[in-house]
């Protein structure tokens, strides 16, 4: 299990909209469950697509918002999605499941391993079926 920290409003776009690619300057071979963690900063450099998604949403900072699965990571091919950034690696996300209540937590750089106490708090918010399916290792 891993977690991925990103600034708002990108974490909200993954959690509450159809953003299914997170662009990063680095690649990863990891495939499997990931927590979507909103960092403590807000990226002011976003376009109208993001503004339309997050308008009216409370942008929680420093909290786990969702669980998902990383299913692929590839270099920019120019054809990924409207959310993809050029000249970056694209982490492809699937099965995004928003948590009912954000879980305050301090994140870390790159992919990080969430401690057991955090995972216990995440599982409390998921049905047994969802937890078994989304949190299963690849």
């Amino acid at each position: 299990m891993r977690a991925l920290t990103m600034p708002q409003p990108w974490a909200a776009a993954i959690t509450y909209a159809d953003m299914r690619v997170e662009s990063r300057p680095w690649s990863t071979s990891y495939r499997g469950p990931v927590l979507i963690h909103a960092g403590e900063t807000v990226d002011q450099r976003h376009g109208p697509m993001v503004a339309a998604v997050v308008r009216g949403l409370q942008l929680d900072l420093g909290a786990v918002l969702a669980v998902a699965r990383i299913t692929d990571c590839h270099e920019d091919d120019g054809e990924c999605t409207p959310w993809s950034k050029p000249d970056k690696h694209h982490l492809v996300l699937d099965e995004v499941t928003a948590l009912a209540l954000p879980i305050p937590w301090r994140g870390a750089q790159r992919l990080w391993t969430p401690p057991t106490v955090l995972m216990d708090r995440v599982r409390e918010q998921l049905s047994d079926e969802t937890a078994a399916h989304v949190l299963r290792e690849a």
Side-chain angles (χ1 to χ4, degrees):
M1 181 76 193
R2 299 288 183 270
L4 184 62
T5 299
M6 64 203 68
Q8 286 288 27
W10 305 110
I14 289 171
T15 302
Y16 305 114
D18 65 348
M19 182 175 159
R20 294 297 177 261
V21 170
E22 171 61 7
S23 300
R24 295 290 165 133
W26 44 265
S27 181
T28 182
S29 61
Y30 177 77
R31 305 292 182 270
V34 63
L35 301 181
I36 303 301
H37 178 266
E40 296 180 356
T41 61
V42 176
D43 183 353
Q44 299 295 333
R45 301 167 296 146
H46 53 79
M49 199 161 66
V50 173
V53 167
V54 300
R55 183 169 288 122
L57 288 177
Q58 175 179 326
L59 296 181
D60 296 289
L61 300 175
V64 173
L65 305 181
V67 297
R69 296 187 67 74
I70 295 175
T71 59
D72 192 18
C73 179
H74 58 83
E75 291 184 47
D76 175 35
D77 59 8
E79 300 178 12
C80 200
T81 74
W83 296 101
S84 307
K85 293 182 182 174
D87 302 321
K88 301 286 184 186
H89 293 275
H90 299 162
L91 280 68
V92 180
L93 303 169
D94 194 15
E95 301 180 51
V96 177
T97 304
L99 298 177
L101 298 170
I103 301 171
W105 204 267
R106 190 166 195 75
Q109 296 287 319
R110 298 185 67 98
L111 286 171
W112 50 278
T113 303
T116 302
V117 65
L118 175 56
M119 289 308 305
D120 290 344
R121 292 180 65 191
V122 168
R123 282 187 186 92
E124 287 173 359
Q125 294 194 42
L126 301 174
S127 69
D128 291 342
E129 182 180 327
T130 299
H133 180 69
V134 177
L135 299 181
R136 75 186 187 285
E137 292 295 326

